[in-house]
Amino acid sequence: MADLYDVLVIGAGPAGEHAAGRLADGGLRVAVVERELVGGECSYWGCIPSKTLIRPGDALAAARRAPGAAEAVTGRLDVPAAFAQRDYMTSGWRDEGQLRWLDSKGIGFIRGTGRLTGERAIEVETADGAIRPLRAARAVVLATGSRPFVPPVPGLAEARPWDNRAATSTKEIPRRLLVLGGGAVGVEMAQAFKRLGSEEVVVLEGADRLLAREEPFAGEELRAAFEAEDITVVTGARIIAARRLGCDGPVVAETADGREFTGDEILVAVGRRPATDGLGLEHVGLEPGQPVRVDRALRAAGVPGGWLYAIGDCNGLAPLTHMGKYHGRIAAAAILGQDVADAASGEAVPRVTFTDPQVCAVGRTAAEARTAGLRVTVVSTPTGDVPGAYTQGNGIRGTSQLVIDDQRRTVVGATFTGPGLQELLHSATVAICGGVTVDQLRHAVPSFPTVSEVWLHLLEAYGL
């Protein structure tokens, strides 16, 4: 006999945890299935450890920009202390704390690999090979996340490359690091390892600029900052082969134009794919290995009865931790009978690349807005040209930009570059999500002296 719950959640990362918590708070009997650690990729191998490793270098850079503090920065960064803080933040890759949270909510937990077997039915294979059948009275929620993609470059897989997990859990700093990919993970880890002590860091990006999905100026400014820190950036670099010399020797990457680059390790950071293979999707008419398409309530499209939901990375909409948590809240509300819809995944996705300078963006780029047929005006101002930036120290650079829909007179996209701007982004997210007009925004007065005064310069540039 199968154990019966109201809702079954497969995957205990942030998306699955949020859905399960909301459903349990709503009075439903919920069980979560997870084959690895409760807390998921972000907690143990992604956002939390990576930002923890980034922080020491960021703090030193900020101090060096502030006269008085700069003179106190002597000596070297303490790598063992940085690693110890990383280990603390990941709870030593143990999930006892999260298990206690599940228990406090009355959420059942089954450690194992969950697979769909039919309508509202799953089976869980535990570590000892036992099979446990489960049934859901109301819904099944897929929250299985994503996995790093290793491109089919000859020799690359055999060279034992790093993925994000190897990078964020490493116990040693490689003297030479190759980074394949100039997206968010690649650039964050490139700068983090350079500041932690790698002597040579080379970023190899196939596109013509870093952060190819963001505004062009963001990648250009980041490249200039990297080169000032002696991080080599090679764009338009198509890797055609890789090999590791000997058992534990260096890795050599060869590009299509005949150049070779050598590192003690190579981090592959060229994207991720939804983790939907081996999930039993074929038993409910869906294609394994592909994103699970969903409607605006996060219900799986093409599955009769509306009982299957897919949230977070596995649906392919907006593969970011905070968006997965948002999806969890929306799906839980829908299962609880509320009239809700995902209003953010298409046009109001906030994203921060935690480099120095940071790249903080939300909504559409100018190119995306124009492709969508919008008539837009793009306004920008130097991020460092407000008194609040000057108080942070010398050499504060970057660009603040808004993309404004001229017909509705609303912000549809925003990008801010500069050091430590992550908290500035939410104001733009609120403006876009709320459809606030620029005529209303002119009355939103930023405190003095803060960097948020860039909003005044941007609205003045629009003519207000």
Side-chain angles (χ1 to χ4, degrees):
M1 294 290 292
D3 291 336
L4 180 65
Y5 293 86
D6 292 317
V7 182
L8 298 170
V9 180
I10 303 179
E17 286 183 310
H18 266 64
R22 288 293 182 101
L23 291 164
D25 288 345
L28 298 187
R29 187 167 181 247
V30 183
V32 171
V33 178
E34 173 58 58
R35 65 184 180 87
E36 293 189 306
L37 297 176
V38 176
E41 188 81 16
C42 177
S43 299
Y44 303 101
W45 302 286
C47 310
I48 298 302
S50 67
K51 278 50 178 182
T52 302
L53 291 174
I54 287 169
R55 178 58 184 162
D58 258 1
L60 286 176
R64 290 185 177 117
R65 284 189 284 263
E71 288 73 15
V73 180
T74 57
R76 295 173 58 84
L77 189 150
D78 187 334
V79 174
F83 281 168
Q85 180 69 6
R86 182 269 319 269
D87 295 349
Y88 166 75
M89 292 296 291
T90 59
S91 300
W93 292 276
R94 296 186 300 271
D95 61 0
E96 288 90 345
Q98 294 304 102
L99 292 174
R100 287 193 295 271
W101 178 83
L102 290 177
D103 187 61
S104 73
K105 291 282 188 178
I107 299 169
F109 175 65
I110 301 97
R111 182 94 66 185
T113 301
R115 302 183 187 89
L116 293 163
T117 57
E119 183 175 343
R120 297 185 179 86
I122 73 171
E123 65 178 20
V124 181
E125 182 179 358
T126 59
D128 60 4
I131 301 297
R132 181 176 173 181
L134 304 172
R135 290 195 63 83
R138 290 201 188 186
V140 175
V141 180
L142 305 179
T144 51
S146 60
R147 298 190 181 97
F149 173 67
V150 178
V153 173
L156 183 58
E158 293 75 17
R160 304 188 310 280
W162 276 7
D163 58 12
N164 67 288
R165 290 191 172 196
T168 58
S169 63
T170 185
K171 302 294 185 182
E172 297 181 355
I173 300 297
R175 186 177 71 82
R176 299 171 298 177
L177 178 65
L178 297 180
V179 179
L180 181 55
V185 173
V187 295
E188 285 182 358
M189 290 294 91
Q191 190 175 50
F193 276 93
K194 180 64 176 177
R195 291 179 167 184
L196 286 166
S198 290
E199 295 176 16
E200 298 177 17
V201 176
V202 179
V203 180
L204 303 171
E205 167 57 47
D208 61 358
R209 56 188 169 89
L210 299 175
L211 300 178
R213 296 183 179 180
E214 301 296 352
E215 295 285 7
F217 71 82
E220 294 165 3
E221 291 180 8
L222 188 57
R223 178 174 190 150
F226 273 20
E227 290 175 346
E229 291 191 32
D230 200 26
I231 298 171
T232 301
V233 176
V234 184
T235 54
R238 185 169 65 87
I239 305 301
I240 61 170
R243 65 188 186 277
R244 187 176 286 275
L245 304 179
C247 181
D248 295 311
V251 179
V252 179
E254 181 183 349
T255 61
D257 60 6
R259 288 179 291 176
E260 289 189 344
F261 298 89
T262 302
D264 297 299
E265 300 292 349
I266 181 169
L267 167 61
V268 177
V270 295
R272 301 178 67 86
R273 299 292 184 270
T276 60
D277 50 337
L279 193 53
L281 293 181
E282 66 276 10
H283 296 300
V284 294
L286 301 179
E287 185 177 355
Q290 297 299 311
V292 179
R293 293 186 302 108
V294 294
D295 64 15
R296 294 190 66 196
L298 286 311
R299 287 182 291 257
V303 177
W307 58 272
L308 184 64
Y309 292 73
I311 60 177
D313 287 15
C314 71
N315 65 29
L317 288 179
L320 295 160
T321 296
H322 45 280
M323 295 305 296
K325 292 161 69 173
Y326 168 72
H327 289 172
R329 296 192 293 271
I330 295 296
I335 293 168
L336 290 167
Q338 300 174 26
D339 184 15
V340 293
D342 174 4
S345 295
E347 300 178 6
V349 177
R351 50 209 183 266
V352 178
T353 302
F354 289 84
T355 45
D356 181 11
Q358 288 183 351
V359 177
C360 310
V362 60
R364 293 171 168 169
T365 64
E368 289 169 343
R370 290 174 177 132
T371 298
L374 300 180
R375 183 170 59 86
V376 298
T377 295
V378 178
V379 293
S380 65
T381 188
T383 304
D385 278 9
V386 292
Y390 284 107
T391 66
Q392 301 299 311
N394 297 328
I396 304 294
R397 298 183 178 87
T399 301
S400 296
Q401 175 184 288
L402 297 180
V403 180
I404 299 171
D405 179 344
D406 291 326
Q407 181 176 358
R408 294 187 298 136
R409 293 178 68 79
T410 58
V411 178
V412 294
T415 301
F416 305 97
T417 64
L421 298 180
Q422 69 270 26
E423 304 301 341
L424 180 61
L425 183 62
H426 195 57
S427 57
T429 304
V430 171
I432 293 173
C433 188
V436 183
T437 68
V438 291
D439 303 289
Q440 293 169 307
L441 286 174
R442 73 190 303 178
H443 301 293
V445 182
S447 298
F448 181 87
T450 63
V451 180
S452 59
E453 279 200 308
V454 295
W455 280 91
L456 298 181
H457 292 220
L458 291 166
L459 294 175
E460 288 170 0
Y462 192 66
L464 296 172

